[in-house]
Amino acid sequence: MTLSRSPSPRRGGGWSSPGLDTMSASGRSSPRKGYGDMHMNGGTNTVTWASAKARSNEVNGYPAFSIRNNGFLARHARSISGSLPRFNLAGRRDYAEKEKLGRGRWHPNNGSKIGRLQTFMGRVLRRMRLRFLLVLAFILGVAIFYVTPMHRVYRRASLLGGGSKFVVILAANQGGGVMEWKGPREWAIERDSVRNKKKYVEKWGYDLEIVDMSTKKRYAHEWRESWEKVDTIRNCLRKYPNAEWFWWLDLNTFIMEPSYSLQSHIFNHLPANTYRDINIYNPLNITHPLTAPYLDPTSLSPTGDNKSESINLVIPQDCGGFNLGSFFVRRSTWTDRLLDIWWDPVGYEQKHMEWEHKEQDALEYLYTNQPWIRPHTAFIPQRKINSFPPGACNDNGEDPRIHYKEQDRDFVVNMAGCEWGRDCWGEMYNYRELSNRLNRTAWEKFKDWFSDAIKGLKQPEAKGD
């Protein structure tokens, strides 16, 4: 019969179960008489709850748990024992109860270094699981941002990245018009140039307008081919009504630093990156400012109104004057007026025999003779958007204002005039490889270093053989 440890229902603490009200003198806990015999004989040997509890403790061999406040040690026994050092006692077998063997003293791998490391990492992760989850969520968010089109949406948004305000215009198939046929090298140059611009606009969320110059044969009847820049920009102004800045690039250009955005490189600090007084660098020796008495103060000032909002044309200058291989035009009423006059066929018919560089010479003429153009024109250092390779402008290629410098990480290189005695494909290939090497990721740099190390080990072996 199983003994019940439930409290006695009797007020005096006696047992109601048969046989528990009798205790022998020898200390045996098993009853000698039945429940009926004891009460029929009028026995009074009643076992109380406290005595039965003490007897049970003696049999089991451990003190009973008590909720009473029995002193300092009883109150703080748990905190004191918890602060004591623990030892690996997994191999002990001297516990009275098998189910408590090794409780609280288990170590993975019998306390080895790997086991202790696992225990330590588990403890750290339990304590820092909230921070760990936050870091994991951050890494996952960054990965989703760059893997999905979200980064392009962010960079194109006008209130965030602002990429939708910029359009890159690239002239393609330049040699496929009525002037000449294109060979394999020309097609290779075009392929590399187009791929370079596509990667750049995809990275920063800009629009790319690739203009097929072979479709501009309507200019051939008046020998106006190579004047199509002006007409193309006018068409892009209508095609992209929400864009603000339009960047023209010749086919022989290559963006060397795709990590530079137009905003951070130029337009976030437009007044600091440009100058409006042409006397700072004036290879054409244009008289500036004008001194006619009928002009307004803005036209008479060498720097216009000094407001960045009034800049609508940003062009570089090389050793020969204005260079339109890479320049910016801003959407405005002033720009519409300039493009209309620039494209005016009357001016072309009168001056095209004098203008060797076609639309470039036409713009220089307008800037020199039309006072309303100067206050809205700004000049940018050539190496900011249009660096030249050695051999352009002069033979030595060491002009610090014009020629490309690798250590300065110039933004764009323009192989201007390479078709006149230089190797266009060779220059394009060299600058493409240089750009790839300068913009390698950390992983690509490690792979190149490892490959070079392997090659260095093989070379002595080959020499020894």
Side-chain angles (χ1 to χ4, degrees), residues 132-150:
F132 177 76
L133 290 176
L134 291 176
V135 172
L136 183 63
F138 175 77
I139 296 175
L140 183 62
V142 171
I144 293 176
F145 178 80
Y146 283 100
V147 171
T148 63
M150 290 179 60

Side-chain angles (χ1 to χ4, degrees), residues 251-254 387-389 392 413-419 422-424 427-428 431:
L251 185 65
N252 288 335
T253 58
F254 197 87
S387 298
F388 277 1
V413 63
N414 181 6
M415 281 71 74
C418 63
E419 62 272 12
R422 306 202 319 266
D423 185 2
C424 294
E427 291 183 0
M428 177 69 74
Y431 282 109

Side-chain angles (χ1 to χ4, degrees), residues 246-258:
F246 296 82
W247 183 20
W248 176 275
L249 285 172
D250 282 351
L251 185 65
N252 288 335
T253 58
F254 197 87
I255 299 175
M256 298 294 294
E257 298 295 334

Side-chain angles (χ1 to χ4, degrees), residues 236-284:
C236 288
L237 287 171
R238 292 189 291 266
K239 184 175 181 180
Y240 300 93
N242 297 322
E244 180 181 2
W245 284 98
F246 296 82
W247 183 20
W248 176 275
L249 285 172
D250 282 351
L251 185 65
N252 288 335
T253 58
F254 197 87
I255 299 175
M256 298 294 294
E257 298 295 334
S259 60
Y260 296 174
S261 68
L262 294 177
Q263 297 94 311
S264 62
H265 188 58
I266 299 172
F267 292 100
N268 288 345
H269 307 282
L270 186 59
N273 292 320
T274 57
Y275 60 94
R276 304 174 79 163
D277 186 359
I278 195 174
N279 293 315
I280 295 177
Y281 181 62
N282 192 359
L284 296 174

